Amino acid sequence: MSKLTAYFKDVHNELINKTSWPTWSELTNSAIVVMVASLIIAAIIFGMDSAFDNGIDWIYRRLY
């Protein structure tokens, strides 16, 4: 048996016997948490970007 074949057998064995896979409900809950966190972070970044843009526009209007 070659080293490559042994490697793939070990990988298969680990994926089948040693890996704990999440249930469908755990996977769904995790996906929802990630989506909500992504939306919150996107909203925060949008707010910061808008604030900086308005601030820079205000400064430029005062200078020029």
Side-chain angles (χ1 to χ4, degrees), residues 3-64:
K3 287 184 178 182
L4 187 60
T5 306
Y7 171 76
F8 282 115
K9 284 186 178 183
D10 288 341
V11 168
H12 181 264
N13 181 42
E14 186 159 344
L15 285 173
I16 298 300
N17 299 319
K18 297 180 182 178
T19 303
S20 61
W21 297 99
T23 63
W24 184 254
S25 64
E26 291 172 338
L27 194 62
T28 304
N29 289 339
S30 295
I32 290 170
V33 167
V34 168
M35 286 189 287
V36 168
S38 297
L39 288 173
I40 291 170
I41 292 169
I44 290 170
I45 291 173
F46 176 76
M48 290 171 56
D49 184 48
S50 296
F52 287 131
D53 186 41
N54 290 336
I56 294 296
D57 282 346
W58 183 82
I59 290 171
Y60 282 157
R61 277 186 268 128
R62 297 290 177 240
L63 293 176
Y64 298 109

